[in-house]
């Protein structure tokens, strides 16, 4: 029988798990690092799950109809997903871009024929570079724009359908594909929907599952005095900072079965080194947040207590949207040193994990 789909929306999710076999063998790791290849979603990232869920949410609530327009603030992947999945569902998308959106992503937006706007066009946060970005003001501003123009504001950072879709799809897929053998779940957080939703599901199936959040080290945060100039794109801190900086979905689900067992800091330089290493050992071409999450998983895999355990890590996207950055510039970091970090002299150091609240 023919196997023909009628829309790319039907291809969202059900992504495979692939073990990091060659890297594990080369580095003598006895744990099993299982990466979920979310870049195999139709537009190339985990955000296809989010876009489809929020579009359906808009339809269900009667706030979005065919021929309507979605708007939201994005650093890249969510906007691409709204453009792609939106086209399949017959709705448009107008993005307001955060600073630092890579050249490749802007080119992709143009390829989709989108009307691109800058975050500074939102009156309520126009001076955010001087005063800092206040989420409440941002949500208020984009909500106003949506109401004035008849758009549907998807609200990726605050809409509970974000984490719920990962509870309903990503978590069950992981549980199914591992036959229920998950010891660690490792992910970075942007909106934190994947981390919260899949983490909640896995914790319900096995209370002993370790939920590990990964965040950019202070040296990879632009607001830090130690900032090196290298960032982990599209991510937010998860702990050890002012609570206003933590993704709202983490706050709203603390009474809903979600909690971290650990938060690990990873510098962009370590993530770059990991991306370069696994491209050579296992043929994986990872984006910055995927490489950072994998770096944390590698760190866990090196612990004696992780021997023989299954460590599931989310790979949100691949590296093709980051070729204009330093991610694969091998002069920037020592290739193959993903389990270590670079100090100012360029030597590899052993990185100790940070517990929650010790960022």
């Amino acid at each position: 029988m023919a196997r023909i789909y009628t829309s790319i929306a039907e291809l969202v999710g059900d992504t495979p798990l692939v073990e990091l076999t060659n890297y594990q063998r080369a580095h003598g790791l006895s744990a099993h690092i299982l990466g979920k290849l979310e870049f195999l979603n139709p537009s190339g990232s985990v955000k296809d799950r989010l876009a489809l869920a929020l579009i359906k949410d808009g339809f269900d609530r009667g706030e979005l109809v065919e021929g309507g327009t979605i708007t939201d603030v994005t650093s890249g992947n969510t906007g691409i997903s709204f453009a792609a999945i939106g086209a399949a569902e017959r709705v448009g998308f107008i993005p307001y871009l955060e600073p630092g959106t890579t050249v490749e992503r802007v080119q992709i937006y143009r390829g989709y024929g989108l009307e691109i706007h800058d975050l500074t066009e939102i009156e309520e946060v126009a001076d955010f570079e001087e005063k800092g970005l206040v989420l409440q003001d941002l949500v208020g501003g984009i909500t106003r724009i949506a109401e004035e123009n008849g758009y549907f504001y998807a609200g990726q950072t605050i809409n509970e359908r974000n984490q719920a879709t990962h509870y309903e799809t990503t978590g069950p897929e992981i549980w199914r594909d591992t036959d229920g053998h998950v010891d660690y779940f490792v992910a970075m957080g942007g909106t934190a929907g994947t981390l919260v939703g899949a983490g909640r599901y896995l914790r319900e199936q096995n209370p002993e599952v370790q939920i590990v959040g990964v965040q950019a080290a202070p040296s990879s945060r632009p607001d830090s005095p130690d900032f090196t100039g290298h960032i982990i794109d599209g991510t937010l801190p998860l702990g050890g900072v002012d609570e206003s900086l933590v993704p709202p979905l983490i706050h709203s689900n603390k009474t809903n079965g979600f909690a971290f067992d650990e938060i690990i800091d990873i510098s962009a330089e370590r993530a770059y080194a990991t991306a370069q290493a696994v491209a050579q050992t296992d043929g994986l071409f990872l984006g910055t947040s995927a490489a950072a999450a994998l770096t944390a998983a590698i760190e866990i895999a090196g612990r004696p207590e992780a021997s023989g355990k299954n460590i599931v890590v989310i790979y949100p996207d691949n590296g093709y949207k980051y070729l204009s950055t330093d991610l694969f510039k091998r002069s920037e970091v020592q290739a193959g040193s993903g389990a270590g970090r670079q100090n100012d002299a360029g030597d590899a150091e052993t990185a100790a994990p940070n517990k929650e609240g010790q960022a």
Side-chain angles (χ1 to χ4, degrees), residues 62-288:
E63 296 180 16
L64 182 64
V65 297
E66 283 192 11
T69 300
I70 305 163
T71 191
D72 211 333
V73 177
T74 176
S75 66
N77 281 330
T78 300
I80 293 169
S81 294
F82 274 134
I85 306 303
E89 296 292 295
R90 300 182 181 180
V91 296
F93 176 61
I94 294 179
Y96 282 79
L97 300 188
E98 297 174 9
T101 301
T102 62
V103 171
E104 294 87 346
R105 285 170 172 168
V106 173
Q107 291 172 335
I108 291 171
Y109 290 141
R110 289 175 177 154
Y112 278 110
L114 299 186
E115 176 187 322
I116 301 172
H117 294 268
D118 187 83
L119 191 61
T120 56
E121 296 178 42
I122 302 175
E123 180 181 330
E124 288 80 352
V125 294
D127 57 354
F128 78 92
E129 291 181 336
E130 292 79 31
K131 297 182 178 180
L133 186 61
V134 178
L135 181 61
Q136 183 178 354
D137 293 340
L138 177 62
V139 171
I142 197 71
T143 299
R144 174 185 57 78
I145 290 171
E147 291 174 349
E148 290 175 355
N149 293 277
Y151 302 151
F152 170 60
Y153 168 45
Q156 62 162 321
T157 59
I158 58 175
N159 191 328
E160 289 293 336
R161 282 303 308 160
N162 182 343
Q163 62 85 20
T165 195
H166 292 286
Y167 178 88
E168 295 164 359
T169 65
T170 313
E173 289 169 22
I174 292 170
W175 191 253
R176 176 199 68 200
D177 291 345
T178 59
D179 288 331
H181 297 140
V182 183
D183 299 293
Y184 297 86
F185 175 63
V186 182
M188 292 206 78
T191 63
T194 309
L195 186 56
V196 171
R200 282 203 306 119
Y201 179 87
L202 295 172
R203 177 64 55 73
E204 286 182 8
Q205 308 314 304
N206 176 11
E208 300 303 314
V209 170
Q210 299 290 294
I211 307 300
V212 181
V214 184
Q215 64 184 9
S219 63
S220 298
R221 301 176 196 168
D223 60 350
S224 169
D226 301 322
F227 182 48
T228 63
H230 292 137
I231 65 169
I232 300 174
D233 187 79
T235 63
L236 292 173
L238 305 175
V241 295
D242 188 281
E243 288 296 294
S244 66
L245 301 176
V246 173
L249 293 178
I250 291 177
H251 293 304
S252 62
N253 283 277
K254 285 183 176 178
T255 59
N256 197 26
F258 178 77
F260 292 112
D261 291 286
E262 181 178 6
I263 294 177
I264 296 177
D265 281 6
I266 298 295
S267 70
E269 289 79 8
R270 291 183 68 196
Y272 294 177
T274 296
Q276 294 170 17
V278 300
Q280 291 185 294
T281 60
D282 291 75
L284 289 167
F285 202 70
L286 301 179
T288 53

Side-chain angles (χ1 to χ4, degrees), residues 287-351:
T288 53
S289 61
L294 176 55
T295 304
I298 290 169
E299 184 173 305
I300 294 167
R303 301 172 183 172
E305 66 270 22
S307 180
K309 300 294 181 62
N310 283 345
I311 304 169
V312 175
V313 57
I314 298 293
Y315 299 153
D317 70 351
N318 61 36
Y320 298 119
K321 302 185 191 83
Y322 306 92
L323 295 177
S324 62
T325 74
D326 291 332
L327 177 58
F328 291 102
K329 292 182 180 177
R330 294 180 178 274
S331 61
E332 295 292 332
V333 290
Q334 291 180 341
S337 60
R341 67 185 176 200
Q342 304 303 308
N343 62 21
D344 292 341
D347 299 320
E349 298 176 337
T350 301

